Amino acid sequence: MLQNNFSKVIRSDINLLVTLYFLLENRQVSRTAKQLYIGQSAVSHQLNRLREMFDDQLLVRTAAGMMLTPFAEQIYPTLGNVVADLEVLLKKKNKNLHPHPHPIKDIYRICVPEDTYIEDVSVLFYDFAHDENIRDNVTFEVFNRYDSCISDLNEGKIDFFFGSSDNLSGAICSSKLIETEFCLAVRADHPLANKTVQLADIVKYPWIDILFREKANSYANEHWGEAINNMRCVLKTSSANAAITLLSHSDAICSLSDDIINKRGLAQVKTKNKIKITNYLYWHKIMGDDAFHRYIREGLISRYVSENINARK
């Protein structure tokens, strides 16, 4: 039941509470501005308004960085619940007015570029199916690249294919997702960790080669081949997870995407050459008559791009 002083809520800018949540979470104006897609000056202005609204400094600068005031510490959990509830509310839709198309088959097969992405993509598909109330109608089969995956895609045996490849037939359709930067990766305490080096500096270290990366490996050879060709390859594997495990237990070097490097607590070896690859979602044109495939494809593309952009901030 609404309280008598609800007029305060009506007169207030509720967007300010969203800004406040991210400010308290990040303790940083610049990062909050990036997440909200607005300028730092706008966030600073909103912080001043919030300080007036609550009659509290909320964030104060200390030698250790920006810190929450006792009052901000008190309201932070409540703000988190408010933002989460808003997100759930905005996702809701009347399923009876907008029913989803019925799937034409029981299983849809999804191929991801490397096993490091299987968990994220599996959760992405599951959450989408849950939110759209379709999880009882279909099974998603998620797996990573293998010897004949390109052939299977070209023959229509794979329904969703994430990655980047040039060896595709004219029957394959695509939609652009995100751009990935590949870097030389090492364990966090490696002698070259976070250092800017010349290619000659990496030759004495072992190399790990990850298979089934047509474009990434081609670019790696183009930019780092002078060194790679003179390094001792200690492992060839289709599993990026296996490569990461060996990186963590050796002085080896491997090419990995920047998001995986950050996510797994690894470090970059910085060179003047950087590899940027555009990732796509591919599917066979025989799926053109599958309205259910199109329905989840369009929804997943926007969700995948949004989640990956936010994860990189």
Side-chain angles (χ1 to χ4, degrees):
M1 183 175 179
L2 301 182
Q3 298 180 1
N4 293 332
N5 63 351
F6 195 73
S7 59
K8 292 181 179 179
V9 175
I10 298 174
R11 293 196 302 270
S12 301
D13 183 354
I14 301 303
N15 286 329
L16 289 175
L17 296 181
V18 177
T19 299
L20 179 57
Y21 168 74
F22 285 106
L23 278 169
L24 299 186
E25 182 183 58
N26 297 322
R27 304 184 184 189
Q28 189 179 96
V29 170
S30 60
R31 185 175 177 84
T32 298
K34 288 182 179 180
Q35 285 186 294
L36 298 177
Y37 301 99
I38 59 177
Q40 293 187 35
S41 59
V43 174
S44 297
H45 176 69
Q46 290 182 25
L47 177 56
N48 289 332
R49 290 180 60 190
L50 286 161
R51 284 167 169 165
E52 292 179 3
M53 180 188 303
F54 288 104
D55 191 23
D56 188 89
Q57 285 298 298
L58 301 173
L59 283 169
V60 293
R61 190 175 301 281
T62 70
M66 298 293 284
M67 301 294 292
L68 277 61
T69 65
F71 175 73
E73 292 277 7
Q74 179 183 347
I75 66 173
Y76 175 61
T78 302
L79 282 170
N81 292 333
V82 170
V83 172
D85 288 344
L86 285 173
E87 185 177 19
V88 170
L89 179 63
L90 292 172
K91 284 183 178 179
K92 288 187 179 295
K93 63 177 74 173
N94 191 316
K95 304 297 181 181
N96 295 323
L97 291 177
H98 305 283
H100 61 76
H102 190 75
I104 65 173
K105 54 185 182 178
D106 297 329
I107 297 176
Y108 285 81
R109 306 182 73 233
I110 302 106
C111 185
V112 298
E114 292 169 1
D115 53 350
T116 49
Y117 296 102
I118 284 182
E119 292 180 6
D120 292 340
V121 172
S122 297
V123 171
L124 178 72
F125 272 79
Y126 177 84
D127 285 350
F128 182 82
H130 181 272
D131 293 344
E132 299 297 319
N133 197 29
I134 59 177
R135 67 182 186 276
D136 295 331
N137 305 98
V138 66
T139 297
F140 294 118
E141 181 181 310
V142 185
F143 47 89
N144 61 300
R145 302 282 292 271
Y146 55 93
D147 279 334
S148 59
C149 63
I150 298 296
S151 297
D152 285 352
L153 174 64
N154 287 332
E155 295 174 10
K157 297 178 181 178
I158 295 177
D159 301 300
F160 299 92
F161 189 98
F162 290 85
S164 182
S165 179
D166 294 325
N167 305 317
L168 305 176
S169 74
I172 301 303
C173 306
S174 66
S175 181
K176 182 178 178 180
L177 294 176
I178 61 171
E179 187 177 71
T180 301
E181 182 175 299
F182 276 78
C183 313
L184 296 177
V186 294
R187 70 173 194 272
D189 58 346
H190 191 281
L192 300 183
N194 300 313
K195 293 183 178 179
T196 300
V197 302
Q198 301 295 320
L199 290 181
D201 298 328
I202 70 173
V203 172
K204 65 180 180 180
Y205 294 98
W207 176 256
I208 298 174
D209 189 19
I210 300 180
L211 306 173
F212 307 127
R213 291 168 149 191
E214 297 91 347
K215 190 163 289 188
N217 285 346
S218 174
Y219 286 179
N221 285 326
E222 178 182 341
H223 293 287
W224 303 317
E226 176 186 343
I228 293 174
N229 293 334
N230 291 311
M231 297 170 72
R232 184 171 63 91
C233 183
V234 293
L235 176 68
K236 286 181 177 286
T237 178
S238 62
S239 170
N241 278 325
I244 291 169
T245 298
L246 185 54
L247 281 181
S248 301
H249 291 81
S250 71
D251 283 341
I253 299 176
C254 182
S255 172
L256 291 170
S257 59
D258 56 350
D259 60 321
I260 294 299
I261 291 174
N262 296 332
K263 184 177 180 180
R264 295 302 188 89
L266 300 171
Q268 293 186 26
V269 179
K270 301 176 183 178
T271 68
K272 65 178 181 180
N273 297 316
K274 292 185 178 180
I275 299 174
K276 291 188 177 181
I277 296 176
T278 300
N279 293 281
Y280 296 86
L281 176 63
Y282 298 105
W283 65 95
H284 198 282
K285 69 179 182 181
I286 60 174
M287 305 307 297
D289 295 330
D290 186 339
F292 180 77
H293 185 280
R294 182 170 60 254
Y295 176 76
I296 57 178
R297 183 176 74 231
E298 292 174 352
L300 282 166
I301 288 172
S302 61
R303 182 174 293 201
Y304 180 87
V305 172
S306 174
E307 291 189 4
N308 277 275
I309 287 175
N310 289 333
R312 289 171 180 273
K313 292 177 181 176

